[in-house]
Amino acid sequence: MSIDLNAMPKLGFGLMRLPQKDDSIDMDRVCQMVDSYMKAGFNYFDTAYVYHGGNSETAAREAIVKRYPRDSFYLATKLPGWNIKSAEDIDRIFNEQLERAGVDYFDFYLLHSVEDGWNGDTYEKYDCYSWGAQKKAEGKIKHFGFSFHGSPGYLEKVLDKHPEVEFVQIQLNYADWNNPVVRSGELYEILSKRGVPMIIMEPVKGGSLASLRPELEAKLKAVRPDASIASWAMRFVASLPGVMTILSGMSDEAQMNDNIGTFKNFEPLSESEKSLVNEVTRIMQEIPLIGCTECKYCCDGCPSKISIPDVFKAENTKRLYGDEFRPKAFYNGVLARSGKASECVECGQCEGICPQHLPIIELLKKASEWLDAKSE
């Protein structure tokens, strides 16, 4: 069954960064956000087995599946390669996902985080591509694809070997277009040339493109005074041909309303606006920042319970603004629920699962030098 790009909602609701209340998902707010999103004419929801410590698929059941007709929305989820230790694990996880979500089938099902080695090898070892095709034949999956965090060469290898793949989900935003690790632009060109529909994740790079240095924001505001900074990132991605759906991990109503406003009356970037985004990107890249997207994959298995993305948020704030007071105050607040950066035991589990391939252990050491030196 081919995918009609024109029939898909351009804005997808990512269920990875849902609002929290008392360390749990705030279901009342999630339901309200789902209602606003559906009322605006959008209906693509993206979750995964590991999101919110395994609670995101259940949240989808409560906020979406139980409250809307099954044919009124698309639900996507993912198979976690790092949880597969035997062939039996695949069906076990999949059946658990069906039960968690309260559905008989998934509209879109992905192999999670395909990349060179590690997960890529796992999916090949257990023949997960054939397994996905079989589930599709059984009607339990409507469309089968994968999310990707590997190299351009490996992407081509996988596509050559598995032409049955219907779509690919990649990280893409203007800051990562020429990023030597993420290489978004190269991945986009490969998929575009092959005519493979794309789902885009991290269009605002974990929120880091929602606010920029004051002088950069001023450049964008001079052209569109009433537009949010985040809307520029969303419009950059949505202006690219071949993009099926753009996921936004919306964690509050303000983010949702802003995104809905961007897509309800969507305007592609003009040529002059593209040039401006390129200029902003060039200036941004003059200050090297930690490329953390706050996916929080690194947090669940951390033996010291370090909120690694928050440590990096503090570090990036210092790098951007040359100011230690604001990020230090933020970090001290984080310590109420997190281990210190200095408490890293260098087990390496975080580096093994990081989609951005960050040298987390070394970065934590450097951040700790100024964060923890003054917090003892």
Side-chain angles (χ1 to χ4, degrees):
M1 184 188 303
S2 62
I3 300 173
D4 182 358
L5 289 179
N6 296 320
M8 295 300 297
K10 270 288 190 257
L11 175 63
F13 192 165
L15 307 180
M16 185 172 74
R17 300 182 177 99
L18 297 172
Q20 302 279 294
K21 182 178 181 180
D22 299 326
D23 295 325
S24 299
I25 297 172
D26 188 337
M27 287 307 305
D28 288 339
R29 289 181 64 193
V30 172
C31 288
Q32 292 172 13
M33 291 171 69
V34 166
D35 292 344
S36 296
Y37 173 78
M38 292 283 281
K39 185 177 180 180
F42 303 106
N43 63 350
Y44 186 100
F45 297 90
D46 172 86
T47 182
Y49 186 73
V50 297
Y51 291 172
H52 280 281
N55 294 312
S56 178
E57 291 167 334
T58 303
R61 181 188 68 210
E62 298 301 313
I64 307 161
V65 177
K66 285 186 175 181
R67 300 172 65 244
Y68 286 92
R70 183 63 186 90
D71 61 357
S72 67
F73 60 86
Y74 299 108
L75 184 61
T77 194
K78 310 173 189 74
L79 180 70
W82 52 92
N83 286 109
I84 300 173
K85 308 302 179 185
S86 68
E88 291 73 25
D89 284 336
I90 302 172
D91 273 331
R92 176 186 61 78
I93 291 170
F94 183 74
N95 291 331
E96 184 180 352
Q97 290 177 298
L98 290 173
E99 183 177 355
R100 282 181 180 181
V103 295
D104 297 321
Y105 66 90
F106 292 108
D107 300 279
F108 292 80
Y109 196 80
L110 299 82
L111 303 182
H112 201 165
S113 192
V114 171
E115 59 183 290
D116 319 47
W118 196 46
N119 286 337
D121 290 348
T122 297
Y123 295 128
E124 295 291 349
K125 176 181 179 180
Y126 294 105
D127 200 14
C128 291
Y129 295 90
S130 296
W131 172 87
Q134 178 60 38
K135 290 301 177 186
K136 184 180 175 185
E138 294 172 6
K140 293 186 177 181
I141 295 172
K142 299 301 181 183
H143 299 289
F144 180 66
F146 58 84
S147 64
F148 191 77
H149 286 286
S151 68
Y154 188 63
L155 175 60
E156 292 195 289
K157 180 179 178 181
V158 174
L159 293 174
D160 286 341
K161 188 174 182 179
H162 301 289
E164 68 273 19
V165 167
E166 296 177 84
F167 65 94
V168 175
Q169 183 169 307
I170 62 170
Q171 176 175 325
L172 192 154
N173 54 69
Y174 63 76
D176 283 328
W177 189 263
N178 293 314
N179 183 316
V181 175
V182 182
R183 300 167 77 175
S184 293
E186 293 178 64
L187 300 180
Y188 171 81
E189 293 298 338
I190 290 169
L191 295 169
S192 183
K193 288 178 181 177
R194 291 172 178 253
V196 179
M198 287 170 261
I199 298 174
I200 304 303
M201 55 185 160
E202 305 294 356
V204 193
K205 199 171 173 62
S208 63
L209 300 181
S211 60
L212 305 175
R213 290 161 52 190
E215 66 269 28
L216 298 182
E217 290 197 3
K219 288 178 178 291
L220 301 180
K221 287 292 185 180
V223 175
R224 286 181 172 255
D226 298 327
S228 70
I229 302 304
S231 70
W232 283 84
M234 299 298 281
R235 290 175 60 227
F236 171 85
V237 176
S239 298
L240 297 169
V243 169
M244 185 174 81
T245 296
I246 301 163
L247 302 177
S248 178
M250 296 173 276
S251 56
D252 60 46
E253 294 80 357
Q255 292 174 6
M256 170 158 287
N257 292 336
D258 184 54
N259 284 335
I260 288 174
T262 298
F263 283 96
K264 281 291 283 185
N265 300 293
F266 179 71
E267 295 181 50
L269 291 178
S270 66
E271 290 304 315
S272 62
E273 287 176 326
K274 290 178 184 177
S275 296
L276 178 56
V277 169
N278 288 337
E279 179 187 353
V280 167
T281 303
R282 178 185 58 77
I283 297 171
M284 284 176 57
Q285 291 174 342
E286 292 174 357
I287 297 180
L289 299 178
I290 299 172
C292 174
T293 63
E294 298 186 56
C295 67
K296 298 185 179 179
Y297 294 176
C298 58
C299 294
D300 288 342
C302 178
S304 300
K305 306 297 182 185
I306 303 170
S307 183
I308 298 169
D310 286 323
V311 174
F312 292 164
K313 184 183 291 185
E315 173 68 17
N316 280 340
T317 301
K318 188 187 78 163
R319 292 187 188 186
L320 274 173
Y321 298 102
D323 167 30
E324 288 192 10
F325 175 77
R326 287 185 298 171
K328 191 63 195 309
F330 166 77
Y331 177 70
N332 285 337
V334 168
L335 292 181
R337 53 179 171 77
S338 167
K340 294 180 179 180
S342 60
E343 293 172 348
C344 172
V345 297
E346 302 185 23
C347 66
Q349 77 84 28
C350 53
E351 294 188 354
I353 203 170
C354 176
Q356 311 305 319
H357 308 290
L358 297 173
I360 295 175
I361 294 172
E362 188 61 30
L363 290 170
L364 284 175
K365 285 181 181 178
K366 290 183 178 179
S368 176
E369 289 176 2
W370 68 277
L371 285 171
D372 294 320
K374 300 177 183 178
S375 65
E376 299 294 344

